[in-house]
Amino acid sequence: MALLPNPSLSLRAEQLGSPDLSAERAAPAASHRRRDFVFVVNPKGANGRTGKEWKKLLPYLRTRLADHCNVCESFTSGPSHAIDITREAIREGAEAVIAVGGDGTLHEVVNGFFWDGNPLVSHEKGSTTALGLIPLGTGSDFARTFGWKNDPYDAIDRIAKGNKSKIDVGAIEGPTGDKHFFVNVADIHLSAKAGYYASQYKKFGNLCYVIGALKAFKGHENHDLEIKVDRGEWESVTKVTAMCIGNAKYFGGGMKITPTADPTNGHLELVVLQNFKWYDFLIKLHRLYGGTHLSVKGVSSRSVKSIEVKERVRRGDIYVQSDGEHWGFLSTKFSILPGAIDFFC
């Protein structure tokens, strides 16, 4: 595969076992071009730990993947850069794009698999690109759904084995019709507001989620919302504290908020918390983290393929986030794209 031409993507490619990159650039064989794995690294993730750990991983990665691919590593320089890197890699026919970092990096890489609301297509006819993950971030919640330890060496072994499954991707759409994508959990109101504040304190590690929750509770009010599930009739949902739409199970640094979600079943899990007070979270926190909260008073769950959410009385200040990233405010539509991406598992 030709090296990615855009110098702003800071891409470095290595043909393992040979120092002559010019020969790799000129190689005409399509099969050779399909052997490039692009590793998208957020060097500033987890307070700089991601970049340091990545350097330590490289010798092992080279050893494990020497017979599988050419390694292309690309370092992000700021917000949304991973989206651009991923799109460029897919267009150039990369066999895989691997997110190296936390859920934020994975979120951007997943969005790079799409363009103008549709799956991105390679310039090489019939070429498809797989998604991989080496969890090195603050939360790594998506990895938890698969029961993976936060061990990058295990992740490299999974990628080397080459086993893949198709996973679903969630789509989120606002009033303008522009689509954004999520692979983990999207959420509304208190939890989304807490996530917004938590993102400002990531230097404190997982403690950022506690700080975010404390700030979000200040002045919080439960609100009446309306929802339309699977294109049915509008329903009233009163005194909503938080509403979570899960493609996977965990968010907020290990909280199993949508415990029956499965990113391979073609559905989203909708969990609604109603009329919770601040002390309810303290009392029931262990159940929220353990995923045993669905039987708690004020908690409901159902499986959906799409859901529209709006305020009963328009205020415009109900937060919405996806995969821990602030998206905007209600009204919003969520839907599922079954089997949208091949994923190393």
Side-chain angles (χ1 to χ4, degrees):
M1 168 182 153
L3 294 184
L4 302 191
N6 189 342
S8 69
L9 299 186
S10 306
L11 187 75
R12 184 175 74 201
E14 304 176 45
Q15 184 173 356
L16 300 178
S18 171
D20 185 3
L21 295 184
S22 61
E24 193 273 329
R25 286 194 187 99
S31 61
H32 200 68
R33 290 169 57 85
R34 291 282 294 129
R35 300 300 296 173
D36 285 47
F37 281 33
V38 178
F39 291 81
V40 183
V41 185
N42 175 13
K44 297 181 180 179
N47 297 320
R49 180 174 61 85
T50 299
K52 295 175 182 176
E53 289 296 318
W54 172 247
K55 291 179 181 179
K56 297 177 184 177
L57 282 174
L58 272 176
Y60 182 74
L61 184 145
R62 289 171 179 148
T63 300
R64 290 292 283 121
L65 299 182
D67 297 330
H68 297 265
C69 66
N70 304 314
V71 172
C72 301
E73 53 178 324
S74 186
F75 297 93
T76 62
S77 59
S80 300
H81 194 193
I83 298 176
D84 296 333
I85 293 170
T86 302
R87 286 174 177 165
E88 188 75 11
I90 292 172
R91 289 188 178 109
E92 292 297 319
E95 185 169 350
V97 178
I98 316 297
V100 182
D103 294 306
T105 302
L106 177 63
H107 176 74
E108 287 197 5
V109 169
V110 166
N111 273 272
F113 274 74
F114 299 87
W115 174 261
D116 197 25
N118 297 301
L120 190 60
V121 178
S122 169
H123 294 321
E124 296 186 13
K125 188 175 181 180
S127 172
T128 58
T129 303
L131 170 69
L133 172 64
I134 298 179
L136 281 177
T138 303
S140 298
D141 280 318
F142 188 68
R144 287 186 172 96
T145 289
F146 295 89
W148 297 342
K149 296 178 181 178
N150 201 19
D151 186 331
Y153 294 93
D154 285 350
I156 291 170
D157 290 342
R158 281 192 296 272
I159 293 165
K161 289 176 183 176
N163 297 325
K164 290 176 254 181
S165 292
K166 288 191 176 295
I167 61 168
D168 308 331
V169 173
I172 179 171
E173 183 178 339
T176 63
D178 293 335
K179 285 187 177 180
H180 197 72
F181 301 91
F182 65 98
V183 74
N184 202 38
V185 178
D187 52 305
I188 297 168
H189 204 17
L190 179 65
S191 56
K193 191 175 182 180
Y196 174 78
Y197 287 129
S199 67
Q200 301 171 19
Y201 296 93
K202 286 196 172 181
K203 64 182 179 181
F204 296 109
N206 280 343
L207 187 60
C208 72
Y209 300 113
V210 177
I211 299 171
L214 292 173
K215 290 199 69 172
F217 266 120
K218 186 178 180 180
H220 169 77
E221 295 179 1
N222 297 324
H223 277 288
D224 297 341
L225 303 179
E226 294 186 349
I227 64 173
K228 181 190 288 188
V229 173
D230 297 340
R231 300 182 181 180
E233 299 297 323
W234 284 102
E235 308 171 28
S236 178
V237 187
T238 60
K239 298 180 180 180
V240 173
T241 307
M243 186 176 288
C244 302
I245 302 97
N247 182 49
K249 300 179 187 298
Y250 295 87
F251 79 161
M255 185 179 291
K256 199 174 183 180
I257 191 66
T258 46
T260 68
D262 179 349
T264 65
N265 70 359
H267 291 81
L268 298 166
E269 183 186 8
L270 171 66
V271 171
V272 184
L273 277 59
Q274 292 174 264
N275 201 25
F276 268 49
K277 307 296 191 297
W278 67 267
Y279 50 82
D280 288 315
F281 280 93
L282 292 178
I283 295 170
K284 299 163 185 173
L285 193 62
H286 67 289
R287 300 197 65 172
L288 290 166
Y289 270 94
T292 62
H293 55 287
L294 297 187
S295 60
V296 169
K297 181 181 178 181
V299 179
S300 60
S301 172
R302 66 170 108 173
S303 178
V304 305
K305 288 192 173 182
S306 69
I307 177 172
E308 295 180 53
V309 187
K310 65 181 182 180
E311 299 171 83
R312 179 183 289 180
V313 178
R314 174 71 177 168
R315 288 180 37 154
D317 62 351
I318 304 297
Y319 282 69
V320 180
Q321 72 171 358
S322 62
D323 293 345
E325 304 294 320
H326 178 65
W327 180 81
F329 302 90
L330 289 180
S331 56
T332 311
K333 179 180 178 180
F334 305 87
S335 57
I336 191 73
L337 303 176
I341 295 178
D342 289 327
F343 182 63
F344 285 104
C345 60

